Amino acid sequence: MTTTTANATRPGSPPPAAATTLPTPVAAALDRVRAGREFGANVYSTIDTLWVLYDRILRITPATVDDPDRDRFLLSKGHAVAGYYAVLAAKGFIPDDWLDGQGGPESRLGDHPDRTLVPGVEIGSGSLGHGLGLGIGTALGLRAQGLLTPRVYVLIGDAELDEGSNHEAIAYAGATGLDNLTVVVVDNHSATHGWTGGAAACFAVNGWTAETVDGRDHDALHRALTGHDGNRPHVVVAVVDGEV
């Protein structure tokens, strides 16, 4: 597939260590969302993971957004929504013309996603630290209903691990063996403190399976995201060099 390299810098900021290379459908959609604006780390660090999930992994289509047996994707990192909208448009969940005027007073596409307005969006997110807890509740709800095929995927930013609510959620999911849950931590080095052994160690010590991969390598992301063992929750730390 033809790709386009995107400029991930804001005016006056230093150049990124590595620019992301977007699949052509996403690049075209994101350019329409951008409409002359500049995006930074919050958007560009997540797009590769979002594309791999929607293009190669998630069992959901525009026709199955209400199917009880669908996979669920929860974007906890709600301020990265521009890339999310671009992927949803590229995959046919929303019309391309919805991208025009994104964030404006008449737009259904706000600066954080809204599940009541955007087809395919599972949660309204934006307050960091909430998405993982909601994902665990979703996974538990599916288990309680006997829906054992759907998988729940939650994307969080590394800085969200500064929130104590996430550590409670990580411990709970590990203790209950929540095997239908996969978390992606997009690590663009924006956390305040960091962790001994890397972000994956926060999960592994609580009984999760864990992998750390290059967050720009689509094949590596695919292998890691499908690498769960079926017995425990799974985390993939997608490392993006430089704050991009």
Side-chain angles (χ1 to χ4, degrees):
M1 175 180 292
T2 304
T3 57
T4 301
T5 300
N7 176 8
T9 60
R10 294 182 182 277
S13 66
T20 187
T21 301
L22 307 180
T24 297
V26 180
L30 186 64
D31 199 48
R32 193 163 178 171
V33 176
R34 186 169 53 236
R37 296 176 291 176
E38 292 292 340
F39 295 136
N42 58 332
V43 173
Y44 286 108
S45 61
T46 63
I47 294 179
D48 295 279
T49 296
L50 288 168
W51 181 251
V52 171
L53 282 166
Y54 275 89
D55 191 50
R56 301 172 64 176
I57 294 173
L58 291 173
R59 297 181 313 107
I60 184 171
T61 68
T64 61
V65 293
D66 294 317
D67 187 338
D69 201 45
R70 73 190 183 279
D71 287 339
R72 273 71 166 175
F73 172 73
L74 283 64
L75 179 70
S76 182
K77 188 179 173 180
H79 59 292
V81 75
Y84 188 30
Y85 291 151
V87 170
L88 289 175
K91 284 297 180 181
F93 288 85
I94 59 176
D96 288 342
D97 60 8
W98 283 18
L99 302 176
D100 301 331
Q102 182 271 319
E106 304 300 324
S107 177
R108 295 166 66 102
L109 307 182
D111 289 333
H112 290 83
D114 187 330
R115 67 175 299 276
T116 68
L117 297 176
V118 187
V121 170
E122 298 284 354
I123 60 169
S125 59
S127 184
L128 296 180
H130 289 180
L132 182 51
L134 290 170
I136 287 173
T138 302
L140 287 169
L142 292 170
R143 177 190 281 183
Q145 295 175 76
L147 294 171
L148 304 181
T149 302
R151 196 159 185 85
V152 179
Y153 297 82
V154 183
L155 189 153
I156 69 176
D158 62 313
E160 288 191 76
L161 292 178
D162 290 341
E163 301 283 351
S165 58
N166 273 327
H167 292 273
E168 294 178 2
I170 291 165
Y172 180 83
T176 55
L178 206 53
D179 58 356
N180 57 343
L181 175 68
T182 292
V183 171
V184 186
V185 180
V186 175
D187 184 357
N188 64 1
H189 317 298
S190 58
T192 302
H193 304 297
W195 311 270
T196 301
C202 300
F203 295 80
V205 74
N206 285 288
W208 294 54
T209 53
E211 294 190 49
T212 300
V213 298
D214 180 348
R216 302 296 189 203
D217 185 330
H218 291 198
D219 288 337
L221 283 166
H222 180 262
R223 285 193 299 271
L225 287 165
T226 55
H228 47 84
D229 67 6
N231 299 304
R232 295 173 287 173
H234 184 57
V235 65
V236 175
V237 178
V239 178
V240 179
D241 288 336
E243 293 192 21
V244 296

